[in-house]
């Protein structure tokens, strides 16, 4: 039996959607776990069944024809409707199945979120999760990401964004560092210390607020070490390389053991908002709906997080 002719129309539509959204046949093949020739044959089969040219292929890119644009819009709606019907008829509407693809912050995703994720997987044995750790903003469509947990305000106004919690941030330094400098008794004296920079959030300036009244202060710093890794900054701080502004959860044990000291605790950096983001769709399968519910419930309760105040 010809493998293309045995592929049903829904799968051909899904393949076409993946080609359009990933931007290439090879990317679609990678995301669907098949080969580029197979993807090409499926596209040809869909075009033959419809009697239309859907995609113009040039040396460097794919371009939808006018018919392709209409087909893509209708195919997305058709596939969403099919999945809703399939879930309803098979009783899967409330039982997550399939693969959930989530992007999470590198440090937070491998530390604070693993335990609730494992609990979620134990609860739904027919579900699998691809847990991708990366601090940059995802391109949901081309990367085939279902949803993301993002620290910091989302920059894409076209996506759905739900504020989950906030993460307090402390100014910390090691006792060995502080012993080499005059005591810090005023917030403006903080920039007399050597500094570490977490480049995801600050580099040459730290912004602090007084807890009692919200009064802001901005202090210029010249970091000895700058890194985009929260763990690297925390380890350098413990080693006495410099003071740093870090998320409270990553230094809780260090503060308890005395390996780090919180400086000017009445002054803190503004807490980092944690958002759940995902593309808008007319239908979300159970694996997404249940994950949304779980993450909204557990996030404010995690160690080092707090309910959002905005």
């Amino acid at each position: 039996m010809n493998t293309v002719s045995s592929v049903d129309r829904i799968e051909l539509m899904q393949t076409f959607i993946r080609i359009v959204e990933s931007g290439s046949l090879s990317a679609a093949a990678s995301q669907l776990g098949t080969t580029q020739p197979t993807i090409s044959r499926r596209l040809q089969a869909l075009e033959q069944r419809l009697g239309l040219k859907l995609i113009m292929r040039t040396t460097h890119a794919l371009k939808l024809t006018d018919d392709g644009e209409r087909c893509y819009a209708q195919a997305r709606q058709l596939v969403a409707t099919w999945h809703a019907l399939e879930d309803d008829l098979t009783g899967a509407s409330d039982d997550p199945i399939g693969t959930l693809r989530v992007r999470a912050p590198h440090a937070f995703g491998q530390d604070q979120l693993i335990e609730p994720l494992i609990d979620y997987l134990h609860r739904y044995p027919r579900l699998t999760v691809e847990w991708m750790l990366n601090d940059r903003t995802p391109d949901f469509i081309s990367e085939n990401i279902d949803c993301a947990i993002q620290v910091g305000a989302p920059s894409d106004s076209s996506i759905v964004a739900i504020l989950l919690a906030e993460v307090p941030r402390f100014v910390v330094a090691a006792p060995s560092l502080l012993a080499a400098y005059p005591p810090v008794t005023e917030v403006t004296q903080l920039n007399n210390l050597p500094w570490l920079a977490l480049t995801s959030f600050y580099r040459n300036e730290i912004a602090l607020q007084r807890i009692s009244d919200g009064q802001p202060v901005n202090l210029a710093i010249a970091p000895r070490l700058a890194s985009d890794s929260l763990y690297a900054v925390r380890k350098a701080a413990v080693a006495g390389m410099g003071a740093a502004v870090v998320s409270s959860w990553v230094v809780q044990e260090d503060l308890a053991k005395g390996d780090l000291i919180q400086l000017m605790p009445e002054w803190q950096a503004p807490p980092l908002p944690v958002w759940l983001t995902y593309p808008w769709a007319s239908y979300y399968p159970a694996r997404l709906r249940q994950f949304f519910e779980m993450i909204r419930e557990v996030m404010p309760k995690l160690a080092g997080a707090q309910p959002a105040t905005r």
Side-chain angles (χ1 to χ4, degrees):
M1 179 183 294
N2 184 288
T3 55
V4 172
S5 64
S6 66
V7 174
D8 64 39
R9 288 174 174 81
I10 293 294
E11 189 166 356
L12 291 180
M13 289 291 187
Q14 289 174 319
T15 300
F16 175 61
I17 292 169
R18 207 68 333 264
I19 293 170
V20 175
E21 294 183 348
S22 65
S24 71
L25 300 184
S26 58
S30 175
Q31 292 178 8
L32 292 173
T34 187
T35 64
Q36 183 172 334
T38 297
I39 295 296
S40 181
R41 287 194 295 270
R42 289 181 187 175
L43 174 60
Q44 291 171 8
L46 180 61
E47 290 179 327
Q48 289 168 6
R49 285 186 174 182
L50 296 175
L52 300 169
K53 188 67 175 176
L54 302 176
I55 292 178
M56 301 297 293
R57 280 180 266 188
T58 67
T59 305
H60 302 293
L62 301 178
K63 179 175 175 57
L64 285 175
T65 65
D66 290 343
D67 290 327
E69 293 277 7
R70 289 194 296 272
C71 181
Y72 171 66
Q74 294 292 330
R76 287 198 67 186
Q77 185 62 49
L78 176 65
V79 169
T81 302
W82 171 257
H83 285 319
L85 174 64
E86 189 177 42
D87 283 353
D88 184 57
L89 294 178
T90 60
S93 57
D94 293 316
D95 185 12
I97 61 174
T99 300
L100 178 66
R101 295 172 54 84
V102 184
R103 172 74 63 77
H106 196 271
F108 209 63
Q110 67 176 297
D111 192 297
Q112 299 294 85
L113 294 175
I114 287 297
E115 186 173 334
L117 177 65
I118 291 173
D119 290 341
Y120 184 67
L121 285 167
H122 280 317
R123 199 184 318 161
Y124 302 112
R126 295 199 293 166
L127 177 72
T128 60
V129 173
E130 292 188 23
W131 190 247
M132 293 157 284
L133 303 181
N134 193 307
D135 292 317
R136 65 179 176 81
T137 301
D139 186 329
F140 292 98
I141 303 302
S142 66
E143 297 179 52
N144 197 22
I145 304 295
D146 291 314
C147 64
I149 298 161
Q150 296 179 234
V151 176
S155 56
D156 186 350
S157 60
S158 68
I159 62 173
V160 180
I162 298 171
L163 184 58
L164 298 173
E166 292 178 339
V167 176
R169 293 188 293 164
F170 298 160
V171 180
V172 298
S176 59
L177 176 77
L178 298 175
Y181 289 85
V184 176
T185 57
E186 299 289 338
V187 68
T188 53
Q189 295 172 334
L190 287 172
N191 59 3
N192 295 331
L193 299 173
W195 272 86
L196 308 169
L198 181 59
T199 56
S200 308
F201 300 105
Y202 69 95
R203 184 182 293 268
N204 297 311
E205 183 181 71
I206 57 169
L208 303 177
Q209 290 179 344
R210 188 159 56 193
I211 296 176
S212 60
D213 58 7
Q215 179 183 329
V217 64
N218 293 338
L219 301 175
I221 61 171
R224 295 285 316 282
L225 172 68
S227 174
D228 63 353
S229 168
L230 179 59
Y231 287 134
V233 169
R234 173 247 162 204
K235 196 164 187 177
V238 171
M241 178 59 66
V245 174
V246 293
S247 299
S248 60
W249 65 266
V250 82
V251 292
Q252 282 182 325
E253 292 186 10
D254 300 315
L255 293 170
K257 292 189 296 184
D259 294 336
L260 288 174
I261 294 173
Q262 183 180 0
L263 302 179
M264 304 300 296
E266 65 273 23
W267 292 84
Q268 293 182 13
L272 294 175
V274 182
W275 297 81
L276 171 66
T277 60
Y278 50 90
W280 183 90
S282 58
Y283 172 75
Y284 298 103
R287 61 180 177 272
L288 266 175
R289 297 196 310 271
Q290 300 286 13
F291 181 80
F292 294 164
E293 183 179 333
M294 180 274 289
I295 205 71
R296 291 178 72 170
E297 179 184 351
V298 305
M299 183 65 71
K301 302 175 184 177
L302 294 177
Q306 62 189 25
T309 56
R310 64 187 71 186

